[in-house]
Amino acid sequence: MNLNQITVAVCDVEKSIEFYELLGLRLIVKSLPTYARFECPNHDATFSLHQSDQQNNNTTWIYFEVDCLDDKVNELLAKGFEFEELPNDKPWLWREARLKDLDNNQLILYYAGVNRKNPPWRIQ
């Protein structure tokens, strides 16, 4: 089994398309007003948005792995993105930066290297 697609509920798909394109995802399906799908650069995974009239309860956390995290954050800062947390090293051995999308979903841009799947405390 392999996870390759995540769909997130948003209030305004069209506005969210702009946000996620600026973030660096490539739009591959645009079915306004209810749906959009993106390709993640350099990988096979896809990410989609679907329109919802219900308010987000802020429980969705979305992780995007970035090889050059600090460079990517600086690029996004130059584009006007506001981060809640700039890149920093976490106790779980990942380097992370955090921001919210237009619907208050928590986005974590991170780099984990080998520790993503093989931290020292991994169960054998």
Side-chain angles (χ1 to χ4, degrees):
M1 190 180 313
N2 184 32
L3 177 65
N4 63 22
Q5 164 68 25
I6 298 287
T7 300
V8 175
V10 296
C11 292
D12 188 324
V13 171
E14 193 160 15
K15 282 184 183 176
S16 293
I17 286 172
E18 294 173 24
F19 177 90
Y20 282 100
E21 283 183 317
L22 269 175
L23 193 64
L25 301 181
R26 189 170 80 82
L27 185 66
I28 60 172
V29 175
K30 186 176 182 180
S31 183
L32 296 177
T34 60
Y35 184 80
R37 187 168 60 233
F38 302 87
E39 230 172 22
C40 294
N42 307 323
H43 298 287
D44 236 4
T46 57
F47 176 79
S48 61
L49 309 170
H50 112 67
Q51 194 276 327
S52 172
D53 294 329
Q54 299 192 4
Q55 283 287 59
N56 184 339
N57 62 7
N58 301 325
T59 59
T60 302
W61 289 32
I62 306 156
Y63 286 78
F64 290 108
E65 190 166 18
V66 180
D67 287 334
C68 300
L69 177 62
D70 292 76
D71 293 342
K72 182 65 174 182
V73 168
N74 287 331
E75 171 194 321
L76 295 173
L77 286 168
K79 290 180 179 180
F81 282 84
E82 293 182 21
F83 282 79
E84 297 179 308
E85 211 176 287
L86 291 172
N88 64 90
D89 296 325
K90 298 295 185 182
W92 47 91
L93 305 179
W94 294 19
R95 185 161 179 77
E96 296 183 0
R98 295 178 181 217
L99 69 154
K100 296 271 176 96
D101 74 3
L102 301 176
D103 290 271
N104 249 353
N105 292 304
Q106 181 70 65
L107 305 183
I108 298 100
L109 305 183
Y110 77 99
Y111 178 75
V114 68
N115 292 311
R116 183 173 74 80
K117 289 181 69 177
N118 295 297
W121 49 85
R122 179 184 167 126
I123 297 170
Q124 297 302 320

